[in-house]
Every structure is written in C-alpha cells, then in structure tokens.
Amino acid sequence: MVQDTLQFGTVGDDIAGGWLPVVLRGLVVLILTAPAVSKFLRYSDRAANFAAYGIPAPEITVLLVGVAQLFAVVTIAAGAAGRLGALVTVPVMLTAMAVDAVNVFNALVLVGCVGIVLLGTGNYSVWEPFRFGE
C-alpha cells in the first residue's frame, strides 16, 4: 500500500523567498534613484557637499558613487545580479550614515540592500547568479 503524504509549504517561505525581496527591491529603487541621478544632474552641488563632509577627491568620488548607485538601481530593479548591486550599495550607505547622519531613507536603503544580499531578488528576477544554499 502506498501512503500519500501531504507536504505543506509555509507562508514564511513564500514571503521570504518570493515576495519580500520584490518589496525590498521596489523600496530600494524608489529611494535610491533620485540621489543617484542627482549626482550627475547637480554635480557641482554634490561635489561641494562631499567636500564639506571631508570626503577626499570629492569631484571624482561623486562620480564613482553616482555610477555605483545607478548600477545598483538598474541591477536591483531588473533583478539581474541584484545581490551584487545591493552589495555595492551597502558601503555607500554606511559611509553616508557615518559622514552625514542616519536618516530614514539611508537606513531603509541599507536594510533593503542587506535583505536583498541575504534573500536574493525574489520573484520576477531576470538573472540571479549568486544563490546561497542551493
């Protein structure tokens, strides 16, 4: 006699593995897009801010941070190597918190990026090369 077994997935698995990362992606992209674009549209203002914070080579650093943030926005939004984009963003947010101040926006981006690094990009990802535990 064959015994049928029922296998139940937990709600937490579906949320953490599928939809929570999508929410984190949306949150990070929503918050990070404007500051990333402003590094280029308001370059001289951003460079002056970086200089006021005491960041070395502010003219170059603004461009590097802007490129890193745009890379993160594109990869996280598409779900294509989103973990890499999120990982690149973590030191940027930690530096922003250290030199300026902790605010709701950079804290949300930091938490969102750490979540994406740990959980992946979830449903509707184009490409996720770094999967843990598989």
mmCIF file of all heavy atoms in Angstrom, residues 48-103:
data_model
loop_
_atom_site.group_PDB
_atom_site.id
_atom_site.type_symbol
_atom_site.label_atom_id
_atom_site.label_comp_id
_atom_site.label_asym_id
_atom_site.label_seq_id
_atom_site.Cartn_x
_atom_site.Cartn_y
_atom_site.Cartn_z
ATOM 1 N N ALA A 48 30.462 69.797 -3.894
ATOM 2 C CA ALA A 48 30.632 70.735 -2.777
ATOM 3 C C ALA A 48 30.187 70.092 -1.454
ATOM 4 O O ALA A 48 30.848 70.273 -0.424
ATOM 5 C CB ALA A 48 29.839 72.018 -3.036
ATOM 6 N N ASN A 49 29.091 69.337 -1.490
ATOM 7 C CA ASN A 49 28.648 68.625 -0.287
ATOM 8 C C ASN A 49 29.678 67.600 0.159
ATOM 9 O O ASN A 49 29.985 67.493 1.344
ATOM 10 C CB ASN A 49 27.313 67.917 -0.530
ATOM 11 C CG ASN A 49 26.149 68.866 -0.604
ATOM 12 O OD1 ASN A 49 26.266 70.042 -0.282
ATOM 13 N ND2 ASN A 49 25.019 68.357 -1.055
ATOM 14 N N PHE A 50 30.213 66.840 -0.782
ATOM 15 C CA PHE A 50 31.221 65.840 -0.442
ATOM 16 C C PHE A 50 32.450 66.516 0.153
ATOM 17 O O PHE A 50 33.037 66.001 1.107
ATOM 18 C CB PHE A 50 31.611 65.021 -1.675
ATOM 19 C CG PHE A 50 30.691 63.869 -1.972
ATOM 20 C CD1 PHE A 50 29.314 63.975 -1.856
ATOM 21 C CD2 PHE A 50 31.210 62.667 -2.402
ATOM 22 C CE1 PHE A 50 28.479 62.920 -2.137
ATOM 23 C CE2 PHE A 50 30.388 61.591 -2.681
ATOM 24 C CZ PHE A 50 29.019 61.717 -2.553
ATOM 25 N N ALA A 51 32.848 67.655 -0.405
ATOM 26 C CA ALA A 51 33.998 68.394 0.125
ATOM 27 C C ALA A 51 33.708 68.886 1.544
ATOM 28 O O ALA A 51 34.571 68.818 2.425
ATOM 29 C CB ALA A 51 34.342 69.557 -0.795
ATOM 30 N N ALA A 52 32.505 69.372 1.780
ATOM 31 C CA ALA A 52 32.129 69.847 3.111
ATOM 32 C C ALA A 52 32.138 68.713 4.141
ATOM 33 O O ALA A 52 32.444 68.947 5.314
ATOM 34 C CB ALA A 52 30.752 70.499 3.067
ATOM 35 N N TYR A 53 31.838 67.486 3.698
ATOM 36 C CA TYR A 53 31.868 66.336 4.597
ATOM 37 C C TYR A 53 33.289 65.838 4.838
ATOM 38 O O TYR A 53 33.503 64.959 5.657
ATOM 39 C CB TYR A 53 31.033 65.176 4.047
ATOM 40 C CG TYR A 53 29.564 65.462 3.938
ATOM 41 C CD1 TYR A 53 28.841 65.049 2.831
ATOM 42 C CD2 TYR A 53 28.874 66.133 4.942
ATOM 43 C CE1 TYR A 53 27.475 65.292 2.719
ATOM 44 C CE2 TYR A 53 27.517 66.386 4.840
ATOM 45 C CZ TYR A 53 26.832 65.961 3.737
ATOM 46 O OH TYR A 53 25.491 66.198 3.631
ATOM 47 N N GLY A 54 34.250 66.376 4.080
ATOM 48 C CA GLY A 54 35.634 65.954 4.243
ATOM 49 C C GLY A 54 35.993 64.703 3.472
ATOM 50 O O GLY A 54 36.996 64.055 3.751
ATOM 51 N N ILE A 55 35.201 64.373 2.469
ATOM 52 C CA ILE A 55 35.484 63.195 1.644
ATOM 53 C C ILE A 55 36.598 63.553 0.666
ATOM 54 O O ILE A 55 36.525 64.578 -0.010
ATOM 55 C CB ILE A 55 34.209 62.738 0.903
ATOM 56 C CG1 ILE A 55 33.179 62.291 1.935
ATOM 57 C CG2 ILE A 55 34.516 61.641 -0.100
ATOM 58 C CD1 ILE A 55 31.840 61.932 1.370
ATOM 59 N N PRO A 56 37.638 62.731 0.598
ATOM 60 C CA PRO A 56 38.757 63.045 -0.292
ATOM 61 C C PRO A 56 38.363 62.986 -1.769
ATOM 62 O O PRO A 56 37.508 62.189 -2.149
ATOM 63 C CB PRO A 56 39.799 61.965 0.038
ATOM 64 C CG PRO A 56 39.073 60.900 0.758
ATOM 65 C CD PRO A 56 37.851 61.511 1.355
ATOM 66 N N ALA A 57 39.010 63.829 -2.575
ATOM 67 C CA ALA A 57 38.775 63.914 -4.025
ATOM 68 C C ALA A 57 37.283 63.946 -4.335
ATOM 69 O O ALA A 57 36.763 63.072 -5.033
ATOM 70 C CB ALA A 57 39.460 62.765 -4.744
ATOM 71 N N PRO A 58 36.576 64.961 -3.851
ATOM 72 C CA PRO A 58 35.111 64.961 -3.998
ATOM 73 C C PRO A 58 34.628 64.943 -5.441
ATOM 74 O O PRO A 58 33.581 64.340 -5.721
ATOM 75 C CB PRO A 58 34.678 66.238 -3.280
ATOM 76 C CG PRO A 58 35.886 67.089 -3.203
ATOM 77 C CD PRO A 58 37.056 66.158 -3.178
ATOM 78 N N GLU A 59 35.370 65.558 -6.360
ATOM 79 C CA GLU A 59 34.925 65.582 -7.760
ATOM 80 C C GLU A 59 34.893 64.180 -8.358
ATOM 81 O O GLU A 59 33.983 63.832 -9.108
ATOM 82 C CB GLU A 59 35.839 66.489 -8.609
ATOM 83 C CG GLU A 59 35.809 67.948 -8.215
ATOM 84 C CD GLU A 59 36.756 68.276 -7.056
ATOM 85 O OE1 GLU A 59 37.562 67.395 -6.657
ATOM 86 O OE2 GLU A 59 36.667 69.395 -6.537
ATOM 87 N N ILE A 60 35.880 63.372 -8.007
ATOM 88 C CA ILE A 60 35.936 62.003 -8.514
ATOM 89 C C ILE A 60 34.998 61.100 -7.722
ATOM 90 O O ILE A 60 34.301 60.249 -8.286
ATOM 91 C CB ILE A 60 37.380 61.467 -8.454
ATOM 92 C CG1 ILE A 60 38.251 62.287 -9.398
ATOM 93 C CG2 ILE A 60 37.444 59.996 -8.808
ATOM 94 C CD1 ILE A 60 39.728 62.036 -9.250
ATOM 95 N N THR A 61 34.963 61.303 -6.421
ATOM 96 C CA THR A 61 34.146 60.447 -5.560
ATOM 97 C C THR A 61 32.658 60.568 -5.888
ATOM 98 O O THR A 61 31.933 59.574 -5.862
ATOM 99 C CB THR A 61 34.402 60.770 -4.078
ATOM 100 O OG1 THR A 61 35.806 60.738 -3.834
ATOM 101 C CG2 THR A 61 33.732 59.766 -3.173
ATOM 102 N N VAL A 62 32.216 61.767 -6.211
ATOM 103 C CA VAL A 62 30.803 61.954 -6.596
ATOM 104 C C VAL A 62 30.478 61.099 -7.814
ATOM 105 O O VAL A 62 29.446 60.428 -7.860
ATOM 106 C CB VAL A 62 30.494 63.445 -6.874
ATOM 107 C CG1 VAL A 62 29.165 63.603 -7.575
ATOM 108 C CG2 VAL A 62 30.502 64.237 -5.598
ATOM 109 N N LEU A 63 31.355 61.107 -8.786
ATOM 110 C CA LEU A 63 31.115 60.305 -9.987
ATOM 111 C C LEU A 63 31.129 58.812 -9.675
ATOM 112 O O LEU A 63 30.272 58.066 -10.162
ATOM 113 C CB LEU A 63 32.168 60.623 -11.051
ATOM 114 C CG LEU A 63 32.109 62.034 -11.636
ATOM 115 C CD1 LEU A 63 33.270 62.264 -12.592
ATOM 116 C CD2 LEU A 63 30.783 62.278 -12.329
ATOM 117 N N LEU A 64 32.082 58.364 -8.863
ATOM 118 C CA LEU A 64 32.163 56.949 -8.507
ATOM 119 C C LEU A 64 30.911 56.498 -7.748
ATOM 120 O O LEU A 64 30.353 55.432 -8.028
ATOM 121 C CB LEU A 64 33.409 56.673 -7.676
ATOM 122 C CG LEU A 64 34.741 56.806 -8.414
ATOM 123 C CD1 LEU A 64 35.902 56.638 -7.440
ATOM 124 C CD2 LEU A 64 34.832 55.813 -9.551
ATOM 125 N N VAL A 65 30.479 57.314 -6.790
ATOM 126 C CA VAL A 65 29.279 56.970 -6.014
ATOM 127 C C VAL A 65 28.044 57.007 -6.917
ATOM 128 O O VAL A 65 27.177 56.126 -6.827
ATOM 129 C CB VAL A 65 29.120 57.911 -4.801
ATOM 130 C CG1 VAL A 65 27.760 57.729 -4.142
ATOM 131 C CG2 VAL A 65 30.237 57.685 -3.802
ATOM 132 N N GLY A 66 27.967 57.990 -7.806
ATOM 133 C CA GLY A 66 26.840 58.062 -8.734
ATOM 134 C C GLY A 66 26.761 56.849 -9.646
ATOM 135 O O GLY A 66 25.678 56.278 -9.851
ATOM 136 N N VAL A 67 27.899 56.421 -10.174
ATOM 137 C CA VAL A 67 27.934 55.234 -11.029
ATOM 138 C C VAL A 67 27.542 53.996 -10.225
ATOM 139 O O VAL A 67 26.767 53.157 -10.692
ATOM 140 C CB VAL A 67 29.327 55.064 -11.681
ATOM 141 C CG1 VAL A 67 29.481 53.690 -12.316
ATOM 142 C CG2 VAL A 67 29.569 56.159 -12.710
ATOM 143 N N ALA A 68 28.073 53.872 -9.002
ATOM 144 C CA ALA A 68 27.732 52.725 -8.149
ATOM 145 C C ALA A 68 26.237 52.692 -7.850
ATOM 146 O O ALA A 68 25.601 51.629 -7.894
ATOM 147 C CB ALA A 68 28.537 52.773 -6.851
ATOM 148 N N GLN A 69 25.664 53.859 -7.553
ATOM 149 C CA GLN A 69 24.230 53.905 -7.242
ATOM 150 C C GLN A 69 23.377 53.598 -8.468
ATOM 151 O O GLN A 69 22.382 52.886 -8.362
ATOM 152 C CB GLN A 69 23.859 55.258 -6.646
ATOM 153 C CG GLN A 69 24.355 55.436 -5.233
ATOM 154 C CD GLN A 69 24.013 56.799 -4.663
ATOM 155 O OE1 GLN A 69 23.891 57.787 -5.388
ATOM 156 N NE2 GLN A 69 23.870 56.859 -3.342
ATOM 157 N N LEU A 70 23.752 54.131 -9.627
ATOM 158 C CA LEU A 70 22.992 53.818 -10.847
ATOM 159 C C LEU A 70 23.109 52.341 -11.195
ATOM 160 O O LEU A 70 22.123 51.719 -11.610
ATOM 161 C CB LEU A 70 23.468 54.682 -12.013
ATOM 162 C CG LEU A 70 23.011 56.129 -11.992
ATOM 163 C CD1 LEU A 70 23.603 56.900 -13.175
ATOM 164 C CD2 LEU A 70 21.496 56.234 -12.016
ATOM 165 N N PHE A 71 24.293 51.770 -11.029
ATOM 166 C CA PHE A 71 24.480 50.334 -11.247
ATOM 167 C C PHE A 71 23.545 49.550 -10.336
ATOM 168 O O PHE A 71 22.869 48.611 -10.766
ATOM 169 C CB PHE A 71 25.944 49.960 -10.990
ATOM 170 C CG PHE A 71 26.197 48.481 -10.990
ATOM 171 C CD1 PHE A 71 26.275 47.774 -12.175
ATOM 172 C CD2 PHE A 71 26.358 47.793 -9.794
ATOM 173 C CE1 PHE A 71 26.508 46.401 -12.181
ATOM 174 C CE2 PHE A 71 26.590 46.431 -9.786
ATOM 175 C CZ PHE A 71 26.672 45.731 -10.975
ATOM 176 N N ALA A 72 23.499 49.949 -9.077
ATOM 177 C CA ALA A 72 22.641 49.262 -8.104
ATOM 178 C C ALA A 72 21.172 49.386 -8.486
ATOM 179 O O ALA A 72 20.426 48.398 -8.437
ATOM 180 C CB ALA A 72 22.879 49.821 -6.708
ATOM 181 N N VAL A 73 20.745 50.569 -8.866
ATOM 182 C CA VAL A 73 19.339 50.782 -9.235
ATOM 183 C C VAL A 73 18.957 49.888 -10.411
ATOM 184 O O VAL A 73 17.916 49.216 -10.383
ATOM 185 C CB VAL A 73 19.073 52.274 -9.555
ATOM 186 C CG1 VAL A 73 17.754 52.453 -10.273
ATOM 187 C CG2 VAL A 73 19.099 53.107 -8.278
ATOM 188 N N VAL A 74 19.798 49.847 -11.428
ATOM 189 C CA VAL A 74 19.481 49.061 -12.627
ATOM 190 C C VAL A 74 19.477 47.570 -12.311
ATOM 191 O O VAL A 74 18.539 46.848 -12.681
ATOM 192 C CB VAL A 74 20.468 49.387 -13.773
ATOM 193 C CG1 VAL A 74 20.326 48.408 -14.926
ATOM 194 C CG2 VAL A 74 20.264 50.813 -14.248
ATOM 195 N N THR A 75 20.504 47.091 -11.615
ATOM 196 C CA THR A 75 20.574 45.656 -11.338
ATOM 197 C C THR A 75 19.485 45.200 -10.375
ATOM 198 O O THR A 75 18.916 44.125 -10.550
ATOM 199 C CB THR A 75 21.955 45.252 -10.784
ATOM 200 O OG1 THR A 75 22.215 45.951 -9.567
ATOM 201 C CG2 THR A 75 23.048 45.505 -11.787
ATOM 202 N N ILE A 76 19.195 46.015 -9.380
ATOM 203 C CA ILE A 76 18.157 45.646 -8.417
ATOM 204 C C ILE A 76 16.778 45.716 -9.060
ATOM 205 O O ILE A 76 15.944 44.832 -8.862
ATOM 206 C CB ILE A 76 18.247 46.523 -7.158
ATOM 207 C CG1 ILE A 76 19.530 46.184 -6.380
ATOM 208 C CG2 ILE A 76 17.029 46.346 -6.264
ATOM 209 C CD1 ILE A 76 19.858 47.164 -5.264
ATOM 210 N N ALA A 77 16.522 46.748 -9.838
ATOM 211 C CA ALA A 77 15.213 46.882 -10.491
ATOM 212 C C ALA A 77 14.949 45.721 -11.437
ATOM 213 O O ALA A 77 13.849 45.165 -11.461
ATOM 214 C CB ALA A 77 15.130 48.204 -11.245
ATOM 215 N N ALA A 78 15.959 45.336 -12.213
ATOM 216 C CA ALA A 78 15.781 44.257 -13.173
ATOM 217 C C ALA A 78 15.850 42.889 -12.525
ATOM 218 O O ALA A 78 15.390 41.905 -13.100
ATOM 219 C CB ALA A 78 16.848 44.352 -14.261
ATOM 220 N N GLY A 79 16.437 42.826 -11.337
ATOM 221 C CA GLY A 79 16.662 41.527 -10.722
ATOM 222 C C GLY A 79 17.759 40.772 -11.440
ATOM 223 O O GLY A 79 17.828 39.557 -11.420
ATOM 224 N N ALA A 80 18.629 41.509 -12.115
ATOM 225 C CA ALA A 80 19.762 40.919 -12.831
ATOM 226 C C ALA A 80 21.022 41.219 -12.038
ATOM 227 O O ALA A 80 21.490 42.355 -12.023
ATOM 228 C CB ALA A 80 19.869 41.513 -14.232
ATOM 229 N N ALA A 81 21.525 40.218 -11.336
ATOM 230 C CA ALA A 81 22.677 40.385 -10.440
ATOM 231 C C ALA A 81 22.357 41.413 -9.358
ATOM 232 O O ALA A 81 23.205 42.208 -8.972
ATOM 233 C CB ALA A 81 23.934 40.756 -11.212
ATOM 234 N N GLY A 82 21.128 41.388 -8.878
ATOM 235 C CA GLY A 82 20.683 42.340 -7.866
ATOM 236 C C GLY A 82 21.438 42.234 -6.559
ATOM 237 O O GLY A 82 21.625 43.222 -5.861
ATOM 238 N N ARG A 83 21.874 41.023 -6.221
ATOM 239 C CA ARG A 83 22.672 40.875 -4.994
ATOM 240 C C ARG A 83 23.974 41.650 -5.106
ATOM 241 O O ARG A 83 24.418 42.261 -4.140
ATOM 242 C CB ARG A 83 22.968 39.404 -4.722
ATOM 243 C CG ARG A 83 21.821 38.678 -4.101
ATOM 244 C CD ARG A 83 22.202 37.273 -3.712
ATOM 245 N NE ARG A 83 21.181 36.734 -2.832
ATOM 246 C CZ ARG A 83 20.962 35.455 -2.671
ATOM 247 N NH1 ARG A 83 21.694 34.567 -3.306
ATOM 248 N NH2 ARG A 83 20.018 35.049 -1.855
ATOM 249 N N LEU A 84 24.583 41.622 -6.266
ATOM 250 C CA LEU A 84 25.820 42.373 -6.476
ATOM 251 C C LEU A 84 25.555 43.869 -6.366
ATOM 252 O O LEU A 84 26.308 44.598 -5.717
ATOM 253 C CB LEU A 84 26.426 42.026 -7.835
ATOM 254 C CG LEU A 84 27.737 42.709 -8.184
ATOM 255 C CD1 LEU A 84 28.813 42.358 -7.166
ATOM 256 C CD2 LEU A 84 28.171 42.313 -9.583
ATOM 257 N N GLY A 85 24.488 44.347 -6.974
ATOM 258 C CA GLY A 85 24.119 45.756 -6.870
ATOM 259 C C GLY A 85 23.850 46.175 -5.440
ATOM 260 O O GLY A 85 24.261 47.243 -4.996
ATOM 261 N N ALA A 86 23.165 45.314 -4.700
ATOM 262 C CA ALA A 86 22.882 45.611 -3.293
ATOM 263 C C ALA A 86 24.157 45.603 -2.472
ATOM 264 O O ALA A 86 24.353 46.458 -1.598
ATOM 265 C CB ALA A 86 21.891 44.596 -2.736
ATOM 266 N N LEU A 87 25.051 44.663 -2.764
ATOM 267 C CA LEU A 87 26.313 44.582 -2.037
ATOM 268 C C LEU A 87 27.174 45.811 -2.273
ATOM 269 O O LEU A 87 27.830 46.301 -1.359
ATOM 270 C CB LEU A 87 27.063 43.307 -2.447
ATOM 271 C CG LEU A 87 28.280 42.932 -1.634
ATOM 272 C CD1 LEU A 87 27.896 42.696 -0.173
ATOM 273 C CD2 LEU A 87 28.934 41.686 -2.208
ATOM 274 N N VAL A 88 27.142 46.346 -3.472
ATOM 275 C CA VAL A 88 27.879 47.570 -3.794
ATOM 276 C C VAL A 88 27.306 48.760 -3.020
ATOM 277 O O VAL A 88 28.034 49.674 -2.625
ATOM 278 C CB VAL A 88 27.834 47.833 -5.318
ATOM 279 C CG1 VAL A 88 28.284 49.230 -5.675
ATOM 280 C CG2 VAL A 88 28.660 46.800 -6.056
ATOM 281 N N THR A 89 26.019 48.754 -2.773
ATOM 282 C CA THR A 89 25.344 49.869 -2.117
ATOM 283 C C THR A 89 25.576 49.910 -0.609
ATOM 284 O O THR A 89 25.554 50.984 -0.009
ATOM 285 C CB THR A 89 23.835 49.824 -2.421
ATOM 286 O OG1 THR A 89 23.673 49.786 -3.833
ATOM 287 C CG2 THR A 89 23.113 51.036 -1.884
ATOM 288 N N VAL A 90 25.820 48.768 0.002
ATOM 289 C CA VAL A 90 25.977 48.719 1.464
ATOM 290 C C VAL A 90 27.087 49.654 1.957
ATOM 291 O O VAL A 90 26.842 50.480 2.847
ATOM 292 C CB VAL A 90 26.170 47.269 1.963
ATOM 293 C CG1 VAL A 90 26.606 47.239 3.415
ATOM 294 C CG2 VAL A 90 24.878 46.483 1.775
ATOM 295 N N PRO A 91 28.318 49.602 1.428
ATOM 296 C CA PRO A 91 29.348 50.529 1.923
ATOM 297 C C PRO A 91 29.036 52.001 1.617
ATOM 298 O O PRO A 91 29.403 52.886 2.392
ATOM 299 C CB PRO A 91 30.637 50.083 1.239
ATOM 300 C CG PRO A 91 30.249 49.138 0.185
ATOM 301 C CD PRO A 91 28.872 48.648 0.474
ATOM 302 N N VAL A 92 28.334 52.238 0.518
ATOM 303 C CA VAL A 92 27.937 53.621 0.197
ATOM 304 C C VAL A 92 26.996 54.155 1.268
ATOM 305 O O VAL A 92 27.153 55.280 1.748
ATOM 306 C CB VAL A 92 27.290 53.695 -1.213
ATOM 307 C CG1 VAL A 92 26.708 55.071 -1.475
ATOM 308 C CG2 VAL A 92 28.292 53.313 -2.289
ATOM 309 N N MET A 93 26.018 53.334 1.673
ATOM 310 C CA MET A 93 25.072 53.766 2.706
ATOM 311 C C MET A 93 25.743 53.894 4.072
ATOM 312 O O MET A 93 25.456 54.829 4.823
ATOM 313 C CB MET A 93 23.893 52.794 2.797
ATOM 314 C CG MET A 93 22.946 52.839 1.621
ATOM 315 S SD MET A 93 22.146 54.447 1.420
ATOM 316 C CE MET A 93 23.063 55.130 0.074
ATOM 317 N N LEU A 94 26.636 52.980 4.398
ATOM 318 C CA LEU A 94 27.346 53.079 5.675
ATOM 319 C C LEU A 94 28.193 54.348 5.728
ATOM 320 O O LEU A 94 28.244 55.027 6.759
ATOM 321 C CB LEU A 94 28.223 51.839 5.899
ATOM 322 C CG LEU A 94 27.471 50.542 6.164
ATOM 323 C CD1 LEU A 94 28.432 49.368 6.197
ATOM 324 C CD2 LEU A 94 26.677 50.635 7.464
ATOM 325 N N THR A 95 28.821 54.688 4.618
ATOM 326 C CA THR A 95 29.611 55.924 4.557
ATOM 327 C C THR A 95 28.706 57.143 4.671
ATOM 328 O O THR A 95 29.027 58.096 5.397
ATOM 329 C CB THR A 95 30.417 55.983 3.246
ATOM 330 O OG1 THR A 95 31.240 54.819 3.166
ATOM 331 C CG2 THR A 95 31.279 57.228 3.187
ATOM 332 N N ALA A 96 27.575 57.128 3.984
ATOM 333 C CA ALA A 96 26.636 58.249 4.077
ATOM 334 C C ALA A 96 26.157 58.440 5.506
ATOM 335 O O ALA A 96 26.042 59.574 5.991
ATOM 336 C CB ALA A 96 25.446 58.012 3.144
ATOM 337 N N MET A 97 25.898 57.343 6.197
ATOM 338 C CA MET A 97 25.451 57.431 7.587
ATOM 339 C C MET A 97 26.567 57.946 8.498
ATOM 340 O O MET A 97 26.299 58.690 9.441
ATOM 341 C CB MET A 97 24.980 56.066 8.076
ATOM 342 C CG MET A 97 23.725 55.577 7.425
ATOM 343 S SD MET A 97 23.423 53.876 7.928
ATOM 344 C CE MET A 97 21.685 53.751 7.632
ATOM 345 N N ALA A 98 27.795 57.574 8.201
ATOM 346 C CA ALA A 98 28.920 57.985 9.049
ATOM 347 C C ALA A 98 29.290 59.448 8.860
ATOM 348 O O ALA A 98 29.579 60.150 9.830
ATOM 349 C CB ALA A 98 30.141 57.109 8.764
ATOM 350 N N VAL A 99 29.274 59.938 7.621
ATOM 351 C CA VAL A 99 29.723 61.313 7.380
ATOM 352 C C VAL A 99 28.615 62.345 7.509
ATOM 353 O O VAL A 99 28.888 63.499 7.818
ATOM 354 C CB VAL A 99 30.419 61.469 6.004
ATOM 355 C CG1 VAL A 99 31.637 60.599 5.918
ATOM 356 C CG2 VAL A 99 29.475 61.215 4.862
ATOM 357 N N ASP A 100 27.391 61.968 7.258
ATOM 358 C CA ASP A 100 26.298 62.935 7.350
ATOM 359 C C ASP A 100 25.461 62.647 8.584
ATOM 360 O O ASP A 100 25.682 63.213 9.632
ATOM 361 C CB ASP A 100 25.448 62.901 6.073
ATOM 362 C CG ASP A 100 24.390 63.981 6.030
ATOM 363 O OD1 ASP A 100 24.494 64.942 6.806
ATOM 364 O OD2 ASP A 100 23.448 63.860 5.226
ATOM 365 N N ALA A 101 24.513 61.791 8.454
ATOM 366 C CA ALA A 101 23.661 61.411 9.580
ATOM 367 C C ALA A 101 22.828 60.224 9.160
ATOM 368 O O ALA A 101 22.611 59.979 7.973
ATOM 369 C CB ALA A 101 22.740 62.563 9.979
ATOM 370 N N VAL A 102 22.354 59.503 10.137
ATOM 371 C CA VAL A 102 21.424 58.411 9.856
ATOM 372 C C VAL A 102 20.047 59.034 9.694
ATOM 373 O O VAL A 102 19.602 59.803 10.537
ATOM 374 C CB VAL A 102 21.412 57.388 11.013
ATOM 375 C CG1 VAL A 102 20.385 56.300 10.743
ATOM 376 C CG2 VAL A 102 22.799 56.799 11.211
ATOM 377 N N ASN A 103 19.418 58.741 8.574
ATOM 378 C CA ASN A 103 18.047 59.192 8.385
ATOM 379 C C ASN A 103 17.211 58.012 7.901
ATOM 380 O O ASN A 103 17.732 56.933 7.635
ATOM 381 C CB ASN A 103 17.963 60.402 7.439
ATOM 382 C CG ASN A 103 18.459 60.088 6.045
ATOM 383 O OD1 ASN A 103 18.151 59.054 5.473
ATOM 384 N ND2 ASN A 103 19.242 60.999 5.484
#
